[in-house]
Amino acid sequence: MDQVDDLFIAGQVSSQDIIRTAYVDCRAENAVDTLVSDLGVADLSLVILFLSPNTDLETFLVEAKQQFAPAKVVGCTTAGEIGPDGYTEDKVIAIGLPSSHFAATTMLIEDLHDLQPQAMIADMIRNRNKLATQNPNWSSEFAMLLVDGLSTREDALTSELSVGLGPVPLFGGSAGDGASFGTTRIIQDGRLYENAAVLVQFRSDCPIKVFKTDHLTPTDRRMVVTGANPDKRLVHEINAEPAAREYARILGKDPEQLSTFTFAAHPVVVRIGEQTHVRAIQRVAENGDLVFFSAIDEGVVLNLAESENMISHLQRELSALEDPVAPDMILGCDCVLRRVEAAQRQFTTGISELLSRHKVVGFSTYGEQVNSMHVNQTLTGVAIYPPPED
């Protein structure tokens, strides 16, 4: 039985808005002033920013660092934002966590191609102990990871971080660059980083649930990766045939017509233990290779997956997070391919209404993280509930 169930049984869950959110057009004049006014920053311990890649990042962050101080500021660029009305674009989303309910430490990982596992683990343990010592009466712990979505290093990073997490649940998202796949940025305290990540460790008096959900069911249509470059997430051959051509053949489609819409509508999954995880395809390389969003290797068996209705599935999953009580807010990392599929199937309005109704705020990603796994085509996040009354 988890914290939320315990509080429900005790009948002590209060009803109040704990977490503050604000949003503004990414090109608006005085954008930071608007966010500061809407959030009220004097008592915030942390501000999380999800920024459209069309934001004038340098100018915005200089002002943000000054005006949000003394709160820490972290964030990333997006492949779309999730605001009060659901899916949106060309916005800056700001989430403010008050110090009366949240304490946080941040750890910048500056070079994803030169990870220092022992140092990272030592810092994580030190930060966790510091948060516990400073907030002994708060029992909720979780961690958030924001990582360069074009680094191809999310799998290695989450695997290393899991050692230092212990029982603390982690969720996260890979930074995006709209539909361009050019440059993604990580933000910490007014500075922009590439090939980097920031880990935020939290302690709170608010009960939480970290979750992952997708609407995909594996079929018996299988294919085997027979040629790959794991370091670059490239698949050269499927079933001993050129990868894109064979994938198209299995779908009954023209290989010249493969697109992001195709990959969103016809994902492939891999079985790991008792669970299945999407291995989402990003694009077709010029030579006919398939470029993946996550780890792939020779010998991997992939199954085509079928989609359940996105709207009915999301309604069921978000409603489950309200049992036994409704969250104050859900901080969500939603794969860009879900947004693409929603648009293709004309579900965008219905999905947005559900996200808004259930207080989901966040961004569209180039991949998601949950505990020790880097995953794709999921909605991953943390539901944060009102704390027990004194």
Side-chain angles (χ1 to χ4, degrees), residues 122-137:
D123 285 345
M124 293 170 67
I125 294 172
R126 188 180 305 113
N127 288 341
R128 185 185 179 201
N129 289 338
K130 175 183 175 182
L131 291 173
T133 300
Q134 293 176 347
N135 307 277
N137 295 324

Side-chain angles (χ1 to χ4, degrees), residues 11 67 81 282:
Q67 295 200 48
E81 301 79 56
Q282 181 189 123

Side-chain angles (χ1 to χ4, degrees), residues 18-259:
I18 306 301
I19 302 164
R20 302 170 203 161
T21 60
Y23 73 104
V24 67
D25 189 283
C26 72
R27 298 183 180 90
E29 293 185 13
N30 303 317
V32 175
D33 291 337
T34 299
L35 295 176
V36 168
S37 175
D38 290 347
L39 285 179
V41 300
D43 64 336
L44 297 182
S45 63
L46 181 77
V47 175
I48 304 169
L49 297 173
F50 300 126
L51 301 99
S52 163
N54 294 320
T55 308
D56 182 349
L57 296 171
E58 298 283 357
T59 301
F60 181 93
L61 289 176
V62 168
E63 296 179 12
K65 181 178 180 181
Q66 294 173 348
Q67 295 200 48
F68 287 130
K72 303 180 185 70
V73 179
V74 299
C76 67
T77 55
T78 75
E81 301 79 56
I82 303 173
D85 298 319
Y87 284 151
T88 187
E89 293 182 349
D90 289 334
K91 298 293 190 295
V92 176
I93 305 294
I95 300 168
L97 303 177
S99 57
S100 55
H101 296 287
F102 296 90
T105 63
T106 65
M107 183 176 78
L108 179 68
I109 303 160
E110 291 194 67
D111 186 354
L112 297 178
H113 287 83
D114 184 25
L115 297 176
Q116 304 293 324
Q118 294 305 315
M120 290 192 305
I121 293 168
D123 285 345
M124 293 170 67
I125 294 172
R126 188 180 305 113
N127 288 341
R128 185 185 179 201
N129 289 338
K130 175 183 175 182
L131 291 173
T133 300
Q134 293 176 347
N135 307 277
N137 295 324
W138 293 357
S139 58
S140 290
E141 298 180 87
F142 63 102
M144 178 184 73
L145 180 67
L146 301 175
V147 56
D148 185 331
L150 296 175
S151 66
T152 72
R153 295 290 290 164
E154 298 102 318
D155 302 275
L157 177 61
T158 52
S159 177
E160 297 290 1
L161 291 177
S162 67
V163 179
L165 283 172
V168 179
L170 174 141
F171 79 98
S174 301
D177 181 29
S180 299
F181 298 98
T183 303
T184 66
R185 305 291 188 87
I186 297 299
I187 297 153
Q188 187 195 40
D189 290 336
R191 294 188 61 186
L192 295 167
Y193 297 88
E194 297 175 35
N195 186 41
V198 61
L199 177 75
V200 187
Q201 293 170 261
F202 295 91
R203 196 171 181 95
S204 175
D205 65 343
C206 294
I208 63 98
K209 286 182 181 177
V210 168
F211 68 93
K212 174 182 80 75
T213 184
D214 67 70
H215 61 294
L216 305 170
T217 303
T219 71
D220 58 2
R221 300 169 70 186
R222 304 171 68 192
M223 61 191 84
V224 180
V225 177
T226 50
N229 182 335
D231 292 338
K232 296 184 177 180
R233 295 178 177 169
L234 294 176
V235 171
H236 311 307
E237 292 184 354
I238 292 174
N239 300 337
E241 298 289 341
R245 192 171 70 193
E246 178 66 1
Y247 172 77
R249 183 195 67 79
I250 293 170
L251 296 181
K253 295 186 177 292
D254 182 348
E256 299 299 322
Q257 301 300 315
L258 296 178
S259 67

Side-chain angles (χ1 to χ4, degrees), residues 282-297:
Q282 181 189 123
R283 59 186 171 87
V284 180
E286 292 183 2
N287 64 354
D289 289 349
L290 291 176
V291 183
F292 279 69
F293 273 112
S294 54
I296 199 75
D297 204 349

Side-chain angles (χ1 to χ4, degrees), residues 289-352:
D289 289 349
L290 291 176
V291 183
F292 279 69
F293 273 112
S294 54
I296 199 75
D297 204 349
E298 291 183 9
V300 170
V301 177
L302 301 172
N303 289 69
L304 281 176
E306 292 181 342
S307 298
E308 183 181 341
N309 181 283
M310 291 184 73
I311 294 176
S312 59
H313 177 271
L314 185 62
Q315 171 64 50
R316 185 172 67 248
E317 295 296 304
L318 293 179
S319 295
L321 290 173
E322 294 185 344
D323 182 15
V325 292
D328 185 76
M329 192 196 77
I330 297 172
L331 178 52
C333 302
D334 188 59
C335 185
V336 65
L337 293 178
R338 287 173 55 87
R339 183 182 285 238
V340 169
E341 182 181 355
Q344 184 183 30
R345 300 185 186 277
Q346 300 184 337
F347 288 161
T348 300
T349 299
I351 295 293
S352 289

